Amino acid sequence: MNTPSSEPQLKIYCEDINKTFIQKGHMEVPVIRNISLEVEENEFLVVLGPGQCGKSTLLRIIAGLETPDTGYVALDGFPVTGPGPDRGLVFQGYMLFAWNTVMGNVEMGLKLRGVPKQERRAVAHHYIRLVGLEGFENHYPHQLSGGMKQRVGIARAYANSPKVMLLDEPFGQLDAQTRMFMQHETSRIWEHEKRTVIFVTNNIDEALFLADRIVLMEGKLPGRIKKEYIVNLPRPRDHENPDLLELRALITSETELVL
Amino acid sequence: MGGSSIANETVGVSSGREGITFYQIITNTYLLYTVSLISFFLVWDRVAAWQVFGDSLARPHIVALKLYDLTQIKFAGTNLGGHIWASTQRVLIGFSLASFFAVPLGLFMALNRYANAIVKPIFDLFKPMPPIAWVSISILWFGVGEFSKIFIISIGTFVPCLLNSYNGIRLIEPELYDVIKVLGGSRKDEVVQVSFPASFPAIFAGLQISLSVAWTCLLAAELMNARDGMGFLIKRGMDTHQPSLVLGGMILIALMAWLSSLLISLMERKLCPWKRSIDNL
Ligand SMILES: Nc1ncnc2c1ncn2[C@@H]1O[C@H](COP(=O)(O)OP(=O)(O)OP(=O)(O)O)[C@@H](O)[C@H]1O
Ligand SMILES: [Mg+2]
């Protein structure tokens, strides 16, 4: 892997991960095969792959919600043994707490860690504003549109101050226009509060718009990494940028073979 | 419901543009409600007046008069209010007793697999039993007093209460627990922040079902043997051939069942403001 001059710090390290699920009691389904991954501090890594190639499983393993059969995940050099607040996960389905307001959802992580009410309200409010939901603090999830729900999910993860943000196809359920808007927002938020991000998507334009680096996954199970691409373009990006289009053509040509 | 719902657009009937059309009048919901109710009472009144069921169907105003009379005189030791209260008390005690134990037990069974393994088989054995089936055995065991009636109501309501709170937790989307885990929460946090609140609507659904079962059990118990209560009024009306008394009792029971269900709905609204809508209000 090529390393920039300023001695980047390794944030997440996945060492040769394998995962096989047992379905219906006996059927073995290999889902992750020999995945090794390095993510640098404040890097925006996009994992690009079509449906059903083990993307969610990979994120869940990094989050500590699943244990790999072989290999391990390390965060700042320490092996991950389970889920923890140092890794924030934005779920593929929104997974908001329907019984809590926007505020209640966003402040949940801080509440669980015993942060006093005043303080956690202030932090939660900061992130609610950052994702553009000011004024909706007392709304319940069912009163929000899909895009707004996902912002709550993002704010909820951010408010817990994780070192790494893991986003699982966060905009997969949105219409094309809202999706584009949310991509701009994500880019804006990330530049505002830099974090190490692993962002999963099946959308190549989304990947090109957001990523510092794209990891392309094989189009079928078991999921494995097919190729990597560095996206060294200034932000905010333009979908019509010729360099971007060139890279898009390259990635597409290599994806179509497996799709 | 209160709170502006930004995702909803109201589709209103456009009015005032060119006056109110005939079509708009005949499709007005409130008008249809009124027409429907009036027709019902009219049909009832005609069927009774023409003696379709001989003299066994009282006309609506006779039933109303009968109920009014009962508020003025003592009938079998107490006036109408006394009879209503006698029944309501039985339902209240039986229902409260059952839900007090069944809801926590259901939650506990769903959360603890050992508790589940111990209680579930016995529960499954009792589950298919129709609640009314307990009437005879409880009279054999406890005689015909108050205790026997409360026992019937409790045992009948216990099952739906337990089943619903149990399922309320069992059917929770497992990824919601993952959210708590990822945010750094413990198993206790999962239970407090997810299991309990998420099961609330199911618990209330269980309470609603239980309540209607409770009134059914009450009626069964009072029809078998009682010295007061609305079931007693119905039974007495039947024995002495007073259709107005039978119908009056039926209407009262339905009214009380409806009122108590409304009360639970209001409680649910208060406790679950996040629920999208509560249909039976
Ligand atoms: N807990 C589990 N038990 C059994 N099988 C599982 C489990 N989790 C995932 N799988 C299987 O692993 C495969 C990959 O799932 P995964 O959700 O990781 O893919 P994905 O790339 O995220 O798919 P999508 O694009 O639909 O989100 C699926 O076939 C799924 O059935
Ligand atoms: Mg997925």
Side-chain angles (χ1 to χ4, degrees):
Chain A
M1 192 175 304
N2 60 346
T3 41
S5 50
S6 62
E7 195 63 36
Q9 211 166 356
L10 194 61
K11 203 69 190 169
I12 288 273
Y13 178 61
C14 298
E15 161 80 26
D16 199 22
I17 292 176
N18 280 278
K19 180 76 182 176
T20 299
F21 281 118
I22 312 287
Q23 286 180 350
K24 300 193 190 101
H26 58 278
M27 220 170 62
E28 291 196 355
V29 183
V31 176
I32 300 283
R33 175 77 48 90
N34 302 339
I35 286 193
S36 293
L37 203 60
E38 293 179 4
V39 191
E40 288 157 13
E41 179 149 38
N42 292 344
E43 187 182 18
F44 200 120
L45 178 82
V46 171
V47 176
L48 175 63
Q52 294 293 302
C53 69
K55 305 182 297 297
S56 293
T57 305
L58 176 62
L59 270 201
R60 287 174 62 84
I61 288 172
I62 296 172
L65 290 169
E66 305 277 0
T67 4
D69 298 336
T70 69
Y72 67 93
V73 177
L75 172 69
D76 286 330
F78 294 99
V80 159
T81 53
D86 46 13
R87 283 146 293 143
L89 178 56
V90 177
F91 289 76
Q92 190 167 0
Y94 311 117
M95 292 304 144
L96 300 183
F97 303 121
W99 46 91
N100 282 335
T101 57
V102 169
M103 175 54 85
N105 270 282
V106 175
E107 69 173 359
M108 182 58 79
L110 299 164
K111 189 171 160 185
L112 295 178
R113 284 190 281 142
V115 177
K117 194 164 180 168
Q118 285 265 302
E119 199 176 318
R120 69 174 191 249
R121 285 273 149 106
V123 175
H125 191 254
H126 169 77
Y127 287 102
I128 290 172
R129 195 165 40 200
L130 187 67
V131 299
L133 282 181
E134 199 168 19
F136 291 96
E137 288 86 349
N138 296 320
H139 281 60
Y140 285 97
H142 78 258
Q143 296 171 302
L144 305 175
S145 68
M148 296 166 91
K149 280 183 195 157
Q150 202 49 280
R151 288 161 192 243
V152 177
I154 292 169
R156 178 173 66 185
Y158 250 106
N160 214 22
S161 320
K163 294 177 181 163
V164 180
M165 282 283 278
L166 309 167
L167 297 101
D168 192 0
E169 295 189 46
F171 312 136
Q173 299 178 41
L174 305 181
D175 60 274
Q177 206 172 345
T178 316
R179 187 170 187 149
M180 205 108 90
F181 177 70
M182 289 301 292
Q183 288 162 12
H184 279 92
E185 288 288 287
T186 306
S187 186
R188 174 183 67 80
I189 294 167
W190 178 72
E191 295 206 60
H192 208 271
E193 297 208 14
K194 281 263 159 89
R195 293 284 157 84
T196 309
V197 174
I198 303 180
F199 186 109
V200 164
T201 183
N202 58 17
N203 184 304
I204 185 169
D205 294 309
E206 189 164 277
L208 288 164
F209 187 81
L210 293 169
D212 288 327
R213 180 159 58 102
I214 296 174
V215 167
L216 180 65
M217 281 181 81
E218 198 87 52
K220 56 183 189 308
L221 289 178
R224 49 181 124 205
I225 293 176
K226 190 162 188 274
K227 253 206 156 97
E228 285 193 17
Y229 308 89
I230 307 285
V231 189
N232 201 356
L233 296 168
R235 297 163 193 271
R237 289 178 186 155
D238 178 3
H239 285 293
E240 306 297 316
N241 181 314
D243 292 339
L244 192 145
L245 287 176
E246 192 182 323
L247 187 55
R248 188 184 195 282
L250 177 66
I251 296 175
T252 311
S253 71
E254 288 181 84
T255 327
E256 271 165 357
L257 295 175
V258 291
L259 279 184
Chain B
M1 273 181 77
S4 64
S5 126
I6 54 139
N8 283 350
E9 281 177 46
T10 5
V11 183
V13 183
S14 63
S15 61
R17 208 176 301 159
E18 45 202 277
I20 296 162
T21 66
F22 176 69
Y23 181 75
Q24 280 174 342
I25 292 173
I26 61 159
T27 53
N28 182 298
T29 342
Y30 293 102
L31 182 85
L32 292 177
Y33 283 157
T34 319
V35 167
S36 151
L37 277 178
I38 290 176
S39 317
F40 171 75
F41 280 103
L42 218 71
V43 169
W44 172 4
D45 188 61
R46 287 302 92 198
V47 168
W50 293 334
Q51 305 223 329
V52 175
F53 298 101
D55 61 349
S56 300
L57 180 63
R59 294 175 62 180
H61 68 279
I62 304 287
V63 175
L65 275 177
K66 182 77 194 171
L67 288 177
Y68 175 75
D69 283 348
L70 286 175
T71 60
Q72 301 302 310
I73 54 156
K74 274 197 193 321
F75 183 72
T78 176
N79 64 6
L80 190 62
H83 287 295
I84 295 175
W85 177 239
S87 295
T88 308
Q89 207 178 12
R90 287 167 191 145
V91 166
L92 225 60
I93 296 173
F95 172 74
S96 308
L97 218 62
S99 45
F100 182 81
F101 289 106
V103 171
L105 183 61
L107 297 179
F108 189 58
M109 277 168 67
L111 290 170
N112 184 304
R113 63 198 166 102
Y114 302 111
N116 191 39
I118 293 167
V119 185
K120 190 91 191 316
I122 304 167
F123 180 72
D124 283 339
L125 219 60
F126 281 83
K127 199 169 60 180
M129 185 82 72
I132 309 288
W134 291 94
V135 172
S136 306
I137 194 78
S138 82
I139 288 175
L140 278 185
W141 289 349
F142 308 114
V144 292
E146 283 307 288
F147 187 83
S148 169
K149 294 183 182 63
I150 288 167
F151 175 79
I152 295 163
I153 295 170
S154 297
I155 205 123
T157 49
F158 198 87
V159 172
C161 261
L162 189 145
L163 206 62
N164 274 274
S165 47
Y166 178 81
N167 283 337
I169 285 190
R170 278 302 169 107
L171 299 178
I172 293 172
E173 167 69 58
E175 269 200 311
L176 283 172
Y177 294 117
D178 293 341
V179 179
I180 296 289
K181 285 195 193 105
V182 169
L183 290 174
S186 62
R187 171 74 185 139
K188 183 182 146 260
D189 293 325
E190 288 174 38
V191 172
V192 173
Q193 302 295 343
V194 176
S195 302
F196 287 159
S199 63
F200 248 72
I203 291 174
F204 271 101
L207 292 181
Q208 288 284 11
I209 297 168
S210 293
L211 200 60
S212 98
V213 171
W215 287 103
T216 309
C217 291
L218 170 94
L219 187 60
E222 288 185 344
L223 284 178
M224 286 299 279
N225 201 307
R227 264 176 245 110
D228 52 8
M230 292 178 277
F232 162 79
L233 293 181
I234 294 173
K235 177 97 190 319
R236 179 58 66 87
M238 188 171 77
D239 292 344
T240 57
H241 198 81
Q242 296 184 61
S244 59
L245 192 55
V246 173
L247 286 168
M250 285 166 67
I251 290 169
L252 280 181
I253 282 215
L255 199 70
M256 291 311 292
W258 177 73
L259 270 178
S260 53
S261 145
L262 190 71
L263 213 70
I264 301 268
S265 296
L266 288 175
M267 237 163 79
E268 177 173 17
R269 261 196 193 198
K270 194 95 199 123
L271 292 171
C272 311
W274 48 274
K275 252 201 91 187
R276 189 185 286 266
S277 68
I278 296 156
D279 296 323
N280 45 354
L281 258 184

